[in-house]
């Protein structure tokens, strides 16, 4: 059963009482909330995700709460708080920004607790068994490029995390809504008019934010890992032609290590995992000013016959 199979009233009842347990990639999460404005966008954006029933025997990895402010704040500039097994240090958001707080808080929880993986700050998409890793700093265009590639048939792994298992070297999917910011919202609406994009939230700390629904096929394949094959660092530059420049593997190693959330924490395991990734992948820098041109270039570079 999927979240989208619940009626809005049934979902609201669970969120307000026992909580909703669902699967996102390798993680099972239980969510409680009394922020009612959050219910409808959550229902639409996470509709393809599998519900995990109480009697399934599966362990819950994250217990998340989105709770409304109490006292006078309930009436004057109401806020919403993010809990992860209790209160966190995350600052509250305005009540009508519960969805962005949930997404950022969920990322916060994964980054703090999932050290069974090497975690890279990166978007990831895949073609068949081969994964394309797109590391990038905020504003580099990685989420926009990820949304565009997914719109053209690539499988979504994540727009935020590359989860690499040290024991196998394989990348694990974590398909969730893709966060779009500012001008990229309109760019993706024009690039893929059929994309379901949730409500826009102005004046967040990252500007205007909206979330694109992950493809149902990607969510249904969330347990199918892939072999890391390419690492491409995107850089959006207005009016620039799409160009791929090869990167030396020693620079590639440093690029991966510098984009990892827990490389130093993992110690020797982190070094060995990044070294294995470096041996397995080809590295490029991508400069682009036109999204369609960049997608066409990456499609050609990663044709099934292309040897890594």
């Amino acid at each position: 059963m999927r979240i989208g199979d619940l009626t809005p009233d049934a979902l609201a009842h669970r969120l307000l009482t026992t909580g909703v347990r669902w699967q996102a990639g390798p993680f099972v999460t239980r969510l409680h909330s009394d922020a009612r404005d959050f219910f409808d966008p959550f229902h639409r954006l996470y509709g393809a995700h599998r519900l995990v029933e109480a009697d399934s025997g599966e362990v819950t990895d994250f217990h998340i709460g989105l709770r409304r402010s109490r006292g006078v704040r309930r009436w004057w500039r109401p806020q919403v708080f993010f809990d992860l097994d209790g209160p966190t240090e995350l600052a509250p958001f305005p009540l009508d920004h519960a969805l962005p707080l949930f997404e950022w808080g969920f990322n916060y929880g994964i980054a703090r607790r999932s050290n069974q993986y090497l975690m890279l700050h990166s978007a990831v998409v895949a073609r068949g068994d081969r994964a394309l890793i797109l590391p990038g700093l905020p504003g580099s265009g990685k989420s926009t490029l990820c949304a565009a590639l997914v719109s053209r048939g690539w499988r979504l792994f994540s727009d935020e995390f590359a989860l690499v298992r040290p024991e196998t070297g394989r990348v694990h999917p974590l398909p969730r809504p893709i966060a779009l910011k500012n001008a990229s919202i309109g760019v993706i609406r024009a690039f893929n008019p059929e994309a379901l994009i949730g409500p826009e939230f102005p004046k967040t700390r990252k500007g205007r934010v909206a979330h694109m629904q992950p493809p149902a096929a990607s969510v249904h394949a969330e347990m199918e890992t892939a072999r890391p094959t390419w690492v491409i660092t995107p850089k959006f530059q207005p009016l620039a032609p799409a160009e791929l420049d090869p990167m030396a593997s020693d620079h590639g190693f440093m690029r991966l290590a510098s984009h990892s959330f827990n490389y130093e924490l993992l110690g020797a395991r982190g070094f060995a995992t990044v070294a294995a990734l470096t041996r397995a992948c080809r590295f490029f820098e991508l400069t682009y000013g036109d999204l369609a041109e960049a997608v066409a270039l990456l499609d050609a570079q990663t044709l099934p016959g292309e040897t890594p």
Side-chain angles (χ1 to χ4, degrees):
M1 189 174 182
R2 307 280 168 179
I3 289 176
D5 295 328
L6 295 173
T7 66
D9 286 345
L11 175 64
H13 179 72
R14 289 199 188 195
L15 287 167
L16 290 164
T17 56
T18 60
V20 172
R21 281 213 313 161
W22 87 99
Q23 183 162 14
F27 305 121
V28 174
T29 299
R30 182 188 294 276
L31 171 65
H32 288 86
S33 179
D34 60 359
R36 290 181 177 273
D37 288 349
F38 166 79
F39 296 176
D40 178 63
F42 177 75
H43 193 217
R44 287 187 289 152
L45 294 172
Y46 281 86
H49 286 75
R50 182 178 73 89
L51 285 167
V52 179
E53 300 298 346
D55 59 358
S56 69
E58 295 172 77
V59 174
T60 301
D61 298 283
F62 301 103
H63 295 265
I64 293 176
L66 280 177
R67 58 182 169 83
R68 296 183 54 156
S69 50
R70 301 289 186 259
V72 67
R73 274 288 192 181
R74 186 172 184 177
W75 310 110
W76 182 72
R77 295 183 181 177
Q79 296 177 318
V80 60
F81 291 80
F82 181 88
D83 294 340
L84 183 65
D85 294 333
T88 66
E89 71 268 28
L90 294 182
F93 278 23
L95 179 59
D96 57 2
H97 281 45
L99 180 64
L101 177 63
F102 168 71
E103 291 296 327
W104 287 329
F106 198 178
N107 291 341
Y108 161 88
I110 293 168
R112 286 177 63 96
R113 295 187 173 181
S114 304
N115 293 309
Q116 67 271 41
Y117 301 95
L118 175 77
M119 293 182 284
L120 305 174
H121 185 207
S122 173
V124 184
V125 295
R127 260 185 165 181
D129 185 49
R130 302 191 298 176
L132 163 59
I133 299 172
L134 298 162
L137 297 171
S140 64
K142 66 177 173 56
S143 292
T144 311
L145 185 57
C146 173
L149 289 166
V150 166
S151 297
R152 293 295 184 267
W154 290 69
R155 181 156 69 102
L156 173 66
F157 272 47
S158 174
D159 74 320
E160 189 68 18
F161 289 98
L163 300 176
V164 182
R165 195 82 188 189
E167 295 86 348
T168 64
R170 294 183 68 84
V171 187
H172 288 243
L174 181 57
R176 291 169 46 209
I178 299 173
L180 302 171
K181 297 181 282 294
N182 302 314
S184 67
I185 300 170
V187 169
I188 292 301
R189 287 190 193 280
F191 189 82
N192 180 9
E194 296 182 358
L196 193 160
I197 297 177
E200 296 187 16
F201 299 92
K203 299 180 180 179
T204 76
R205 64 187 180 189
K206 295 187 177 182
R208 188 163 47 96
V209 173
H211 301 84
M212 175 178 157
Q213 183 190 52
S218 297
V219 177
H220 296 172
E222 63 189 353
M223 301 307 289
E224 297 177 17
T225 62
R227 174 169 56 94
T229 304
W230 306 280
V231 177
I232 296 179
T233 305
K235 181 181 179 182
F236 175 74
Q237 188 172 311
L239 304 179
E243 292 181 345
L244 274 174
D245 294 317
M247 183 189 301
S249 58
D250 55 342
H251 288 176
F253 181 101
M254 296 306 299
R255 186 64 56 90
L256 290 176
S258 67
H259 281 82
S260 173
F261 292 104
N262 59 347
Y263 171 73
E264 294 183 357
L265 181 67
L266 293 181
R269 286 179 87 210
F271 177 86
T273 306
V274 172
L277 272 176
T278 304
R279 289 192 296 271
C281 294
R282 298 175 64 191
F283 291 83
F284 298 90
E285 289 184 316
L286 168 67
T287 304
Y288 73 97
D290 180 87
L291 203 51
E293 195 178 334
V295 170
L297 182 62
L298 292 181
D299 277 342
Q301 181 67 35
T302 57
L303 286 172
E306 177 73 14
T307 303

